[in-house]
Amino acid sequence: NVQITRDPMPELICDEAQVIRLFQNLISNAIKFCDKKSPEIHLAAQKQDRQDEWKFLVKDNGIGIESEHKDNIFKIFHRLHSRDKFPGTGIGLAICQKIVERHGGKIWVESTVGEGSSFYFTIHRMDMDTDGEANE
């Protein structure tokens, strides 16, 4: 019963496996931390003033995050809920932050308890060198 919608998404030169994991972690969290019968998730991207940067959005209708926890949720093993209530290791958002930082960006959340969360992150365009390795 999960509804996922998206705006048109850009094509990027990036570490594909890591960016897939980034979206998987954010979408999985949106599903897990939803107390409604039908989680709703929306994905969007917007080109920033800088020509080499995109801002992405993963928005949900989940339980939300209290403002005092917004910065701490990206710390490894930091959990806001017991494992009995929401299973997991507490490393998903820390991994997201590392992936985003590796791509020259930043990640943050805006949230209202009981209404949902909007996770934003930026990714800088990366170029490929002659060996096929990604370079910033």
Side-chain angles (χ1 to χ4, degrees), residues 47-60:
K47 188 142 191 158
Q48 297 302 103
D49 290 338
R50 293 178 47 159
Q51 291 300 312
D52 63 345
E53 184 176 73
W54 284 86
K55 180 170 82 171
F56 292 85
L57 164 68
V58 177
K59 180 180 174 126
D60 66 51

Side-chain angles (χ1 to χ4, degrees), residues 19-35:
V19 173
I20 287 171
R21 185 160 187 195
L22 169 64
F23 276 101
Q24 284 175 334
N25 284 354
L26 292 173
I27 292 168
S28 294
N29 278 358
I31 295 168
K32 178 173 29 174
F33 294 104
C34 187
D35 58 358

Side-chain angles (χ1 to χ4, degrees), residues 51-73:
Q51 291 300 312
D52 63 345
E53 184 176 73
W54 284 86
K55 180 170 82 171
F56 292 85
L57 164 68
V58 177
K59 180 180 174 126
D60 66 51
N61 65 336
I63 62 174
I65 301 164
E66 294 178 356
S67 60
E68 62 262 22
H69 298 296
K70 288 191 327 184
D71 295 326
N72 293 330
I73 60 172

Side-chain angles (χ1 to χ4, degrees), residues 92-106:
L93 290 176
I95 290 171
C96 289
Q97 184 174 40
K98 290 296 182 192
I99 292 169
V100 168
E101 288 173 352
R102 181 170 186 268
H103 286 82
K106 61 181 181 174

